Amino acid sequence: MTISMYQASIPVSIRTLNNLVSILQKGATYAETKKIDPSVLINSRLSPDMFPLSKQMQIASDIVNRGAARLAGIEPLQFEDNETTFPQLIDRIHQTISHLNTFKPEQIDGSEERTITLKIGSNSLDFQGMQFLLYFVLPNLYFHVTTAYDILRHCGVELGKQDFLGQP
């Protein structure tokens, strides 16, 4: 049995983002219950040279949005990166999930060898579609979702491994 590019990208990303929504909701509930200004959690970071929670969410959203669009050969959905509250961050993730749900297998399948060039500053990275998905998009998605989880866990939000993995 083989797995298609669509199966390896869209459902996996949607599941991870749904788990992220649950993690963010727990963060919002924690802030409310403990009477902590939510902006404290949203602006928290693990290290001074790392992005805060809000930016981790924006990057997680962007990486799958742009990744799916590049695999499909279309323009990605654009966000302003101006979310400052838990409801705004959760809404952005929901918008990303809704957008991912618009992709059809025939848009993504067959992109295994599509050349994808990323401009990063003055440099560019070239990938074939499958390598782009497996070695760039998914690792970045997991990195930023894990970092968001770690930030909230470090701040005292009661999260466990199952929150990250979600329900089967």
Side-chain angles (χ1 to χ4, degrees), residues 58-72 74-79 81 92 96 99-100 103 116 118 132 137:
Q58 293 161 349
I59 294 171
S61 166
D62 285 342
I63 200 74
V64 295
N65 247 332
R66 293 175 185 164
R70 286 181 176 117
L71 289 172
I74 63 172
E75 285 298 313
L77 182 66
Q78 298 294 320
F79 289 101
D81 290 348
R92 177 176 174 146
T96 304
H99 181 64
L100 291 176
F103 285 92
I116 296 172
L118 297 179
F132 174 66
V137 175

Side-chain angles (χ1 to χ4, degrees), residues 23-145:
I23 289 167
L24 290 173
Q25 288 170 333
K26 282 191 171 190
T29 299
Y30 178 81
E32 185 179 328
T33 302
K34 298 291 185 179
K35 309 238 183 290
I36 298 170
D37 181 347
S39 68
V40 171
L41 299 179
I42 291 166
N43 292 307
S44 290
R45 54 185 80 217
L46 292 177
S47 176
D49 65 344
M50 290 181 77
F51 290 126
L53 177 68
S54 58
K55 189 67 174 173
Q56 301 294 339
M57 299 302 80
Q58 293 161 349
I59 294 171
S61 166
D62 285 342
I63 200 74
V64 295
N65 247 332
R66 293 175 185 164
R70 286 181 176 117
L71 289 172
I74 63 172
E75 285 298 313
L77 182 66
Q78 298 294 320
F79 289 101
E80 293 184 35
D81 290 348
N82 60 0
E83 298 84 11
T84 59
T85 68
F86 278 110
Q88 290 171 342
L89 290 168
I90 290 167
D91 183 57
R92 177 176 174 146
I93 301 303
H94 280 138
Q95 287 180 52
T96 304
I97 292 167
S98 291
H99 181 64
L100 291 176
N101 277 316
T102 68
F103 285 92
K104 304 290 180 232
E106 54 271 13
Q107 290 177 280
I108 307 290
D109 289 344
S111 64
E112 294 88 341
E113 295 182 23
R114 174 175 284 139
T115 299
I116 296 172
T117 301
L118 297 179
K119 299 283 186 199
I120 301 175
S122 61
N123 298 320
S124 61
L125 297 173
D126 292 318
F127 295 94
Q128 285 191 315
M130 184 176 289
Q131 292 151 339
F132 174 66
L133 174 63
L134 296 178
Y135 306 140
F136 187 82
V137 175
L138 293 177
N140 269 288
L141 172 62
Y142 293 137
F143 174 84
H144 292 287
V145 172

